Each structure stands twice: as structure tokens, then as C-alpha cells.
Amino acid sequence: MDMPEPLTLAPEEQEWLDLARGWIKGHFANNPDEAYGTIEGKLAVIRANLAQGWVGPEDTWKLQSLGIAMGDALAQDLMLDWVTVDDEYGRQPALNWPGTSILCFPVTMISQRVEEGERVDIDMMYEQTREQLNEIAFGGEAE
């Protein structure tokens, strides 16, 4: 199956991502932009939400916001770009390794697992995703 061509985020999609980031940043008592500006800050707020049970299986939007924070951490770490993919599942935000066909869909990574009752180890999920993306990018599998 051919991968769909990544598209630039539409203004309403960018607005949705920014709204989610605003909710995430609201968890920081001091200097939310600065705290969210680090990879560890992004992962820490996800970790806290999951560990404290602040979000549950019924909180799809909040869980997807945590996925956006994880995507932001991956984007920052690996220099990925947020794009939109229009495929058989609909139009959705994704991360793209610039200049390649590599796509990653972090928005639903956390929500799908929590909604299915799985325990999420965000640090393990982040590291495994990071390693897989690097392996694809540098292992000769990417177009």
C-alpha cells in the first residue's frame, strides 16, 4: 500500500494542536512555556497525568492532548515536522521525518492504550518510538 503524501497542517488543525498544548501547559505552575519547552518537561507532564489518574479512558481529548505532547517531544528530539495525512482513516495530524516517507501518529498512541485498559509506561513508549523512527530513517528502509 502506498503511503499518503503528507500535507501542510490546515489552520484549524494547527489551532486544535495549539489548544491541546494550552491544556497541557496549564499543568505547570510556573513558566509554562519554558517548562514545556524541554523534552523532559513534555514527558513529565504526560507522566504526571497518567500516574495521578487525572485522565481516564473516557477523556479522549485529554488523552490525545498527551499524545500531542509526546509528539512534540519526538519532533523536538528528532527534528520532525507536524503534518496532516489524509488516508482511509480520515484526515489526521502526524509527524513526518522531513525529506522521507516516514510517518508517526503520536496523537492516538496513548489514548488507544488507556481506552483499552492498558498501563502506559510513557518513558518506554517514547524511547521505543524514538528508536524505531531512527532505525527506519537510518536503516535503509525509508524512501
Side-chain angles (χ1 to χ4, degrees), residues 2-127:
D2 288 335
M3 289 299 291
E5 192 68 30
L7 307 168
T8 302
L9 289 169
E12 62 273 10
E13 293 164 328
Q14 186 63 57
E15 186 178 322
W16 182 71
L17 292 175
D18 290 341
L19 187 63
R21 290 179 184 118
W23 177 76
I24 291 286
K25 290 177 185 180
H27 290 80
F28 295 104
N30 299 314
N31 304 317
D33 288 329
E34 186 177 316
Y36 190 76
T38 67
I39 293 168
E40 180 51 38
K42 292 171 182 71
L43 296 178
V45 76
I46 300 167
R47 203 179 298 120
N49 269 273
L50 295 173
Q52 299 301 320
W54 295 335
V55 292
E58 69 286 349
D59 298 318
T60 302
W61 184 82
K62 291 178 181 178
L63 290 167
Q64 289 180 350
S65 295
L66 297 179
I68 291 166
M70 186 168 119
D72 283 346
L74 288 164
Q76 182 177 351
D77 194 359
L78 301 174
M79 296 184 285
L80 308 177
D81 293 331
W82 280 102
V83 297
T84 295
V85 173
D86 200 354
D87 61 13
E88 68 270 19
Y89 302 108
R91 194 172 165 100
Q92 56 190 323
L95 292 174
N96 173 243
W97 197 298
T100 74
S101 61
I102 299 171
L103 293 170
C104 175
F105 297 87
V107 174
T108 55
M109 284 178 142
I110 297 169
S111 63
Q112 287 176 337
R113 287 163 178 81
V114 171
E115 288 167 358
E116 291 174 9
E118 293 179 33
R119 183 185 166 281
V120 175
D121 180 333
I122 194 62
D123 296 301
M124 183 183 300
M125 179 187 285
Y126 178 81
E127 197 51 43

